[in-house]
Amino acid sequence: MSGAKDRFKDRGELDQFSHDLDLDMDAPIGAAFAAALRDPSGDIDSAEDEVDALSDEGFDDDGFLTSTSSLLAAKMAFEAAPAAHSPHPADAREPAADDLPPPPEASPDTVPDSSSGLGSTFDYAFAPSDSGGDRMIPRIAFHAFCVRTQMLGLMRTIQKDRRMSNVSMEVFEGGIQTAIDYYVNETAPNLIVVEATGEPRQLLSELDALAEHCDENIRVVVVGHTNDIRLYRELMRRGVSEYLVAPVDPVQMIRSIAGLFADPETPFVGKTLAVTGVKGGVGASSIAHNLAWALSERVKVNATLVDLDLNFGTTGLDFNEDAGATIADALMSADRFDEAIMGRLISKATERLSLFTAPATLDRTYNLDPDTYGRVLEQVRASVPFVVLDLPHIWADWFKSTIISADEIVVVAGPDLASLRNGKNLIDFLKAARPNDAPPKLVLNMVGLPKRPEIPAKDFGSAIGVEPTLVLPFDAHLFGTAANNGQMIFDVAPDSKCAQGLDQLATLLSGREIQAAKPSLLKKLMGR
């Protein structure tokens, strides 16, 4: 293992490193940070006694335990450790000498600039193929100690992220020693992220000292520059919550933090797809409703359509549903809204598609705060893989918070000047509010209206700053027939260009292919 040995001047120093690590593969991984470090059983002074008692244990050239029992315990422990979106090695087997890559140099020239959010090795940008949606991180206090300018840039980037809106975050210049000095007189927060640039032995020693100022409930994330599975195992054994290898992408860091504070009772949240129009009459609700139908009946995934146009929503009309209970009932009693109440309020359009219709009456106004919408939608997300939000053309606090927090956004516009102006304003706002997310998907609808002057799709996309994801032709007869009959366009004309375009949009947003219906045996025999 030439790469690992090159870090040490002689065999004696290497033996001292293995002694310092004192790998006990049977120790539980993921224990509380301070508790693990204060555990007398983990004291380095007792390492030699423990090793002597294991007569069947062998050592490799670097002084690490290599017996069958130790390897099995290490494999089970490493597989149980949280590894989602982490760039540390994923292989749980004990690596051979030639398997371990040489550690990267600590020179600034060898560390890619990750402050822009684009790591050179790992792509953690949001993608439809990821399972589930992204959680908002709860209200926690978070301190980050950064040595390099790249790490400082990363922390300042995630500080502005939508998922961090509830977090009280402070960024400090300096590494673990700076954190130790700071917590001599200050109380440690819920989460500490530290950047480590020294040798593994130095890192472990500094973490021992840091643990003296941390209670058992504090979570610690270490960002280092050594990609070594054995170091990772030792950090986990000592109670470190996560170890990430630089360069770290903003989304990778955010998801790692979110995983540390996830509620084990609600391990899953669905993806939220928000659909809104840049002005009235561009067909955003029709796109939202047919998109939800395409997800459930064409892609074959469970989905829920939520109509948030409380006074003028058309979900009940488009699906020919006359539901007595609506989304307004859930919003008016958000504190008591749970899975049981949701089951009574929701209606089923198909086996896979559920509806939260709007009351669509003018008997009251709804002056609700953004947190109310957030609580209800989080409950819905916990029950289904995909949630499609039909958002009205409105500008209010709850609208802004809802659309910003969505996993994917579809902006519907027409090929005219008003749509161009409003669309550019909206997309510029969303890009600024969601710097680490993919830009919104632009759907250009009703293209080709006879005798109407239009802005060409290419020029429209160039001016607005986002190329159209989907261009739907004007088809008054198709959409009019579907709307008047309470049908989807797939029911009226499944082979039309509009239906095919919405199939493509559903595939893009879900990351899954259309599940074509297999012809029956009778149709095969009849040649149909």
Side-chain angles (χ1 to χ4, degrees):
M1 193 183 71
S2 59
K5 290 182 179 181
D6 291 342
R7 287 177 287 174
F8 304 97
K9 297 179 181 178
D10 52 40
R11 178 70 190 186
E13 187 176 2
L14 181 61
D15 290 338
Q16 179 63 40
F17 174 55
S18 65
H19 178 272
D20 287 349
L21 285 181
D22 180 25
L23 287 183
D24 179 6
M25 294 304 184
D26 295 321
I29 284 184
F33 178 59
L37 290 178
R38 292 169 182 161
D39 186 355
S41 64
D43 187 14
I44 292 178
D45 294 336
S46 63
E48 295 181 359
D49 296 337
E50 294 179 2
V51 172
D52 292 340
L54 300 174
S55 58
D56 59 341
E57 299 287 356
F59 294 86
D60 64 10
D61 292 338
D62 293 329
F64 291 100
L65 297 176
T66 58
S67 73
T68 303
S69 60
S70 292
L71 293 180
L72 180 60
K75 182 178 188 298
M76 294 174 62
F78 183 63
E79 290 178 343
H85 310 295
S86 300
H88 47 63
D91 190 358
R93 65 180 177 83
E94 182 69 19
D98 296 335
D99 291 342
L100 292 175
E105 296 293 335
S107 170
D109 296 333
T110 63
V111 180
D113 184 0
S114 60
S115 60
S116 62
L118 299 175
S120 62
T121 307
F122 306 99
D123 181 10
Y124 290 94
F126 288 107
S129 59
D130 293 335
S131 59
D134 285 283
R135 300 175 183 271
M136 297 292 290
I137 298 176
R139 299 184 186 278
I140 61 171
F142 168 21
H143 291 173
F145 294 86
C146 312
V147 178
R148 301 176 184 273
T149 57
Q150 291 87 353
M151 186 68 174
L152 283 169
L154 170 69
M155 290 297 113
R156 288 171 180 145
T157 297
I158 71 170
Q159 196 170 14
K160 303 174 183 178
D161 192 272
R162 61 183 175 88
R163 290 156 289 261
M164 299 279 291
S165 60
N166 297 326
V167 177
S168 175
M169 179 177 173
E170 293 186 60
V171 181
F172 302 87
E173 293 189 25
I176 302 178
Q177 187 58 50
T178 302
I180 295 171
D181 297 339
Y182 181 79
Y183 295 126
V184 169
N185 300 315
E186 300 291 337
T187 303
N190 306 98
L191 171 67
I192 301 173
V193 175
V194 293
E195 183 180 15
T197 57
E199 290 293 318
R201 187 170 53 214
Q202 177 187 354
L203 169 59
L204 297 176
S205 176
E206 291 178 338
L207 287 175
D208 288 347
L210 178 61
E212 296 300 321
H213 305 283
C214 301
D215 62 40
E216 297 181 0
N217 296 320
I218 292 175
R219 293 171 172 84
V220 175
V221 175
V222 178
V223 178
H225 303 276
T226 301
N227 192 356
D228 192 324
I229 192 172
R230 296 165 301 178
L231 174 61
Y232 169 76
R233 287 172 177 163
E234 177 61 14
L235 291 173
M236 294 298 104
R237 188 184 74 86
R238 289 170 174 250
V240 171
S241 303
E242 181 63 287
Y243 178 67
L244 304 174
V245 180
V248 181
D249 186 275
V251 176
Q252 174 196 3
M253 176 62 73
I254 293 168
R255 285 179 170 166
S256 296
I257 295 172
L260 298 178
F261 295 93
D263 183 357
E265 299 298 324
T266 57
F268 171 82
V269 290
K271 284 200 165 193
T272 305
L273 314 178
V275 183
T276 188
V278 299
K279 69 171 191 174
V282 294
S285 290
S286 295
I287 299 298
H289 302 172
N290 283 278
L291 171 62
W293 197 95
L295 287 170
S296 62
E297 303 309 305
R298 303 284 288 166
V299 182
K300 306 296 184 183
V301 295
N302 292 333
T304 296
L305 173 62
V306 182
D307 191 345
L308 292 174
D309 191 352
L310 302 182
N311 294 112
F312 300 100
T314 59
T315 298
L317 294 175
D318 286 351
F319 286 90
N320 201 19
E321 290 280 343
D322 186 15
T326 66
I327 185 65
D329 298 310
L331 293 171
M332 298 307 296
S333 57
D335 294 335
R336 296 183 289 109
F337 183 68
D338 56 19
E339 186 176 355
I341 295 178
M342 182 171 60
R344 295 197 296 267
L345 298 181
I346 211 164
S347 60
K348 298 285 288 185
T350 68
E351 181 181 353
R352 296 184 180 87
L353 179 59
S354 302
L355 304 178
F356 251 133
T357 60
T361 60
L362 303 180
D363 57 348
R364 67 179 303 168
T365 57
Y366 300 91
N367 298 318
L368 302 173
D369 61 275
D371 289 341
T372 299
Y373 287 88
R375 287 196 298 270
V376 171
L377 293 179
E378 280 301 308
Q379 183 67 49
V380 178
R381 291 179 71 196
S383 65
V384 69
F386 292 92
V387 180
V388 180
L389 304 181
D390 180 7
L391 295 178
H393 175 60
I394 192 175
W395 196 246
D397 290 338
W398 74 263
F399 173 89
K400 289 187 286 185
S401 65
T402 301
I403 196 170
I404 287 173
S405 62
D407 294 300
E408 292 280 355
I409 301 173
V410 178
V411 175
V412 183
D416 54 61
L417 185 59
S419 288
L420 178 59
R421 182 201 64 184
N422 296 349
K424 180 170 178 55
N425 289 339
L426 178 59
I427 288 177
D428 287 347
F429 167 79
L430 292 172
K431 285 182 177 179
R434 298 158 53 91
N436 301 318
D437 292 272
K441 305 294 187 295
L442 175 62
V443 174
L444 206 54
N445 196 23
M446 302 181 185
V447 175
L449 179 64
K451 298 183 179 181
R452 180 182 67 177
E454 295 180 350
I455 302 175
K458 183 177 180 180
D459 296 340
F460 193 98
S462 177
I464 207 171
V466 175
E467 290 298 318
T469 301
L470 179 62
V471 178
L472 293 178
F474 175 76
D475 194 333
H477 182 267
L478 172 59
F479 280 91
T481 301
N484 288 339
N485 294 340
Q487 296 177 303
M488 298 291 101
I489 64 170
F490 300 91
D491 297 323
V492 179
D495 297 326
S496 64
K497 291 184 178 180
C498 291
Q500 294 174 5
L502 288 167
D503 274 346
Q504 294 175 6
L505 183 62
T507 298
L508 175 65
L509 293 173
S510 66
R512 307 186 186 188
E513 297 296 330
I514 298 296
Q515 301 294 319
K518 296 181 180 180
S520 66
L521 178 60
L522 179 60
K523 289 184 177 180
K524 288 182 178 180
L525 294 175
M526 298 178 64
R528 295 182 181 179

